[in-house]
Amino acid sequence: MQKIMVCIKRVVDYNVRVRVKPDESGVMLEGVKMSVNPFDEIALEEALRIKERGTNAEVLAVSIGVADTQQQLRTALAMGADRALLVQTDQPLDPLAAAHALLAIAKKENPDLVLLGKQAIDDDANQTGQMLAALWNRPQATYASKLAIDGTKATVTREVDAGLETIEVDLPAVVTVDLRLNEPRYVKLPDIMKAKKKPLDVIALDSLGVPSPVSFKIVKTEPPAQRQKGIMVKDVSELVDALKKKGLI
Amino acid sequence: MSKILILGEHDAKTLNPATHKCVTCAKAIPGSHITVLLLGADTAAVAAQAAAIQGVDEVVRIDRAENAHPLAASFAPQIAALATGYTHLFGPSTSFGKDLTPRVAALLGVPQVSDLMAVDGAYRFRRPIYAGNAIVTLEADPARILVATVRVASFEAAPSGGAATISSRTLDVSLPSHTRYVGVHTGATDRPDLQTAARVVSGGRALGSAENFKLLFDLASKIGAAVGASRAAVDAGYASNEMQVGQTGKIIAPQVYFAFGISGAIQHLTGIKDARTIVAVNKDPEAPIFEVADVGLVGDLFQVVPELSRLIGA
Ligand SMILES: Cc1cc2nc3c(=O)[nH]c(=O)nc-3n(C[C@H](O)[C@H](O)[C@H](O)COP(=O)(O)OP(=O)(O)OC[C@H]3O[C@@H](n4cnc5c(N)ncnc54)[C@H](O)[C@@H]3O)c2cc1C
Ligand SMILES: Nc1ncnc2c1ncn2[C@@H]1O[C@H](COP(=O)(O)O)[C@@H](O)[C@H]1O
């Protein structure tokens, strides 16, 4: 295990309650707190643990996004990534476009393992890892809750609807991580200072020469339908009555 | 005409009801001709089930020993090879569909709509973003195949009563050996399945232990309900992974959902907002769960749940 590439997406912080713009053109992002996608923190934590377990692999954090994404990559460096790369663009990318850009980086960097989050909490797409694996013609192991590296292969436990599935993949492979893989470490102040000296390269998306894949047209963005306000009951017998009245028990 | 290919999900014995829901979604597209595709080692039994769904015109089987387990790396090239001529390709928004469908889309060189929740036209759809805080309407280019996962909680299962034709295909597609199935560990019980149950009893961090979750299992047995959990309860080890309800767990739409000791974080609520009735019991009157509950009770779950079990059992 020489090199692990971790994909980091800059997203609206998970504590922010996102609101739709009155003109239905999108969601309000001005002045909103931005963070590393929570699943990507888990991906990075896993890479760091594989490194610290003695493989000493280089951990490379990669993001495609606006110039300010450097903030999230600095966070990744402070957590312990060795090096970061920002593929800069002002265009919002859908997962297929992101996968094409990540493929170009993977081909340059030749990582043994690419770790991504299972989904970005902004678009909730859950696609990029699978698409990257397809384009790269490599194995995919999605929704990992356990990851064991053994020489040239990895054994991955996956969270599936039925329970936990285990598969074995040859490296290099693409793994997308689920919530229970690990608990990401906290960044300490000295780490933030140290991170300032670590290399963070910025290249333009255009310089990669990847095709700009077709996308969907977004017609409008609306708030979800609201549920009707319900009733409060005083005690359990009133609760039972209410359920009976609705024909639920 | 829209020629729609649906990726059928099954465990060799039973067709997953997610497939029936994809059929309902596909039927909402005007002038649709619907084909269910089944990959497996022996899909005879599930093909008969798929052919009996009302609205299905055709069932196509690809039986092959390597298809015994649904590995995306093996399934995707076969599906991509078969997809030519179809206008739409739908997979369910289950772990099976979410894993597989994007791999197919990328092989076909097209983007994907995830969690399609409403059909406004053959190439116009709605889907949720930001954990359901916003709904976008998307338009796709009719010149390309439209690949999507169908948000199963948004559609009713199509009824049976159909009689589609069944055919078998062999494909000359070589499969990778770089991905191997090892096994699966299920917490399988004879309880109703969380994703299709009409009633769900769910518990949060407040349960405090796996032991205490038994209170919920007792109540669930009384009313024939499945048991779910918040992420906090799963992370703490009180409940198993596959019980998690929410943005990153299961999105469900039961007739009635009971939330005991669940605060109602946005990530949890996104998993239950299609429930017909939400019943919440929480000792904090300010808990956000009460903003969405149809019936709310401020109280201690350790008192409420046993009493509820008793009164319902009586
Ligand atoms: C990226 C991401 C994805 C996530 N995905 C999910 C997801 O899919 N599903 C999910 O559920 N969460 C998810 N979460 C977590 C979510 O934000 C909340 O942390 C979680 O839902 C809280 O679980 P809880 O309500 O059980 O716990 P808490 O928020 O701690 O609430 C416990 C509640 O129990 C009440 N209580 C305490 N004692 C009693 C008692 N004796 N009787 C009655 N009430 C009592 C309290 O008043 C409180 O309201 C996600 C978070 C992130 C960041
Ligand atoms: N623009 C991006 N830059 C870096 N990584 C990304 C980007 N978009 C998606 N990813 C990765 O892909 C994962 C899944 O995203 P998505 O398919 O959008 O749900 C994320 O958790 C990231 O790891």
Side-chain angles (χ1 to χ4, degrees), chain A:
Chain A
M1 181 70 51
Q2 308 260 312
K3 195 189 283 187
I4 305 172
M5 171 170 148
V6 183
C7 304
I8 304 284
K9 189 176 187 190
R10 171 185 165 94
V11 297
V12 172
D13 188 83
Y14 81 97
N15 280 311
V16 173
R17 198 176 188 117
V18 171
R19 286 179 206 290
V20 172
K21 288 185 188 162
D23 68 358
E24 303 193 334
S25 65
V27 296
M28 291 193 257
L29 296 177
E30 291 73 32
V32 158
K33 184 179 179 207
M34 303 297 287
S35 298
V36 174
N37 182 40
F39 290 98
D40 303 353
E41 274 184 15
I42 296 170
L44 177 56
E45 176 65 35
E46 196 64 18
L48 298 173
R49 290 188 190 185
I50 294 169
K51 175 190 176 126
E52 289 159 1
R53 246 179 256 138
T55 59
N56 215 24
E58 179 185 36
V59 176
L60 167 65
V62 179
S63 190
I64 309 146
V66 296
D68 281 347
T69 307
Q70 289 194 34
Q71 296 161 2
Q72 281 67 42
L73 287 174
R74 284 287 167 209
T75 304
L77 292 170
M79 269 182 76
D82 297 298
R83 183 157 77 81
L85 174 64
L86 172 61
V87 180
Q88 196 176 318
T89 173
D90 287 332
Q91 296 302 314
L93 296 187
D94 67 10
L96 183 61
H100 272 288
L102 293 171
L103 172 71
I105 304 300
K107 282 183 168 166
K108 258 191 215 162
E109 297 282 347
N110 292 312
D112 304 285
L113 182 64
V114 180
L115 292 171
L116 302 90
K118 85 161 173 181
Q119 77 194 60
I121 61 162
D122 50 2
D123 61 15
D124 284 329
N126 195 332
Q127 299 175 11
T128 309
Q130 297 89 312
M131 288 182 159
L132 170 62
L135 300 173
W136 200 20
N137 201 10
R138 293 305 310 163
Q140 74 184 48
T142 51
Y143 324 140
S145 67
K146 211 169 141 199
L147 173 57
I149 307 288
D150 175 15
T152 57
K153 61 182 209 251
T155 304
V156 187
T157 303
R158 308 179 51 231
E159 290 201 23
V160 296
D161 291 344
L164 296 171
E165 182 192 271
T166 305
I167 63 172
E168 192 183 86
V169 294
D170 293 336
L171 301 177
V174 175
V175 175
T176 79
V177 308
D178 216 319
L179 290 170
R180 276 167 284 276
L181 182 59
N182 61 49
E183 213 168 303
R185 65 196 63 188
Y186 282 104
V187 172
K188 292 186 244 43
L189 195 61
D191 301 326
I192 297 173
M193 302 313 288
K194 254 194 276 168
K196 291 193 173 138
K197 295 200 201 79
K198 289 184 179 175
L200 193 169
D201 293 324
V202 181
I203 58 169
L205 175 62
D206 297 338
S207 74
L208 288 179
V210 292
S212 61
V214 282
S215 185
F216 300 111
K217 186 175 143 209
I218 298 172
V219 181
K220 59 181 170 186
T221 306
E222 297 166 294
Q226 291 301 318
R227 289 184 74 97
Q228 295 284 328
K229 183 121 188 78
I231 56 160
M232 295 299 288
V233 293
K234 257 193 353 278
D235 54 28
V236 180
S237 65
E238 270 192 25
L239 174 59
V240 172
D241 288 344
L243 293 173
K244 282 195 177 140
K245 217 157 84 197
K246 286 174 179 282
L248 293 169
I249 53 170

Side-chain angles (χ1 to χ4, degrees), chain B:
Chain B
M1 191 178 70
S2 296
K3 282 196 74 188
I4 304 175
L5 188 64
I6 293 173
L7 306 179
E9 176 171 355
H10 63 89
D11 62 3
K13 286 189 220 77
T14 317
L15 191 65
N16 190 302
T19 310
H20 303 68
K21 297 181 171 201
C22 289
V23 171
T24 301
C25 175
K27 280 204 277 195
I29 293 176
S32 53
H33 178 276
I34 301 174
T35 304
V36 174
L37 177 62
L38 296 166
L39 281 76
D42 175 5
T43 60
V46 287
Q49 294 164 32
I53 303 175
Q54 241 179 64
V56 175
D57 296 289
E58 232 184 297
V59 176
V60 174
R61 301 171 51 188
I62 305 179
D63 286 15
R64 181 167 176 168
E66 299 97 313
N67 288 347
H69 303 288
L71 293 171
S74 298
F75 275 26
Q78 299 177 68
I79 296 162
L82 207 120
T84 22
Y86 289 93
T87 58
H88 298 69
L89 176 80
F90 286 172
S93 66
T94 55
S95 59
F96 162 81
K98 288 176 175 176
D99 176 50
L100 173 59
T101 318
R103 190 157 182 133
V104 180
L107 292 181
L108 295 171
V110 297
Q112 173 185 296
V113 179
S114 290
D115 299 314
L116 194 165
M117 62 180 283
V119 175
D120 294 332
Y123 293 94
R124 191 174 161 124
F125 306 97
R126 274 173 279 158
R127 70 169 297 255
I129 55 172
Y130 289 99
N133 274 319
I135 310 294
V136 284
T137 301
L138 300 174
E139 239 167 45
D141 181 355
R144 297 187 309 261
I145 183 167
L146 188 281
V147 177
T149 56
V150 172
R151 186 173 181 277
V152 289
S154 298
F155 298 90
E156 301 282 336
S160 59
T165 58
I166 301 175
S167 61
S168 287
R169 290 280 300 270
T170 45
L171 293 172
D172 187 22
V173 174
S174 64
L175 303 182
S177 57
H178 56 46
T179 307
R180 297 167 294 273
Y181 176 86
V182 178
V184 70
H185 174 83
T186 62
T189 53
D190 11 351
R191 291 179 185 287
D193 174 52
L194 185 55
Q195 265 157 318
T196 47
R199 295 164 174 176
V200 174
V201 171
S202 228
R205 193 198 309 274
L207 266 294
S209 68
E211 183 68 18
N212 288 340
F213 246 82
K214 290 214 180 89
L215 286 173
L216 300 189
F217 283 107
D218 287 347
L219 175 61
S221 307
K222 285 240 161 80
I223 58 172
V227 179
S230 72
R231 175 187 170 189
V234 175
D235 282 0
Y238 309 159
S240 56
N241 297 331
E242 65 271 19
M243 288 164 66
Q244 183 177 318
V245 173
Q247 181 186 15
T248 48
K250 286 174 180 158
I251 313 271
I252 58 175
Q255 294 294 324
V256 55
Y257 183 80
F258 292 87
F260 293 105
I262 293 178
S263 59
I266 183 73
Q267 294 89 1
H268 188 80
L269 299 185
T270 193
I272 58 169
K273 71 184 183 55
D274 292 307
R276 196 69 58 81
T277 301
I278 296 174
V279 178
V281 176
N282 196 301
K283 69 177 185 190
D284 173 9
E286 303 295 323
I289 189 84
F290 288 127
E291 285 163 35
V292 300
D294 300 281
V295 185
L297 172 59
V298 176
D300 185 339
L301 75 92
F302 293 107
Q303 217 184 308
V304 171
V305 177
E307 199 177 334
L308 192 58
S309 290
R310 204 168 51 242
L311 287 180
I312 288 174

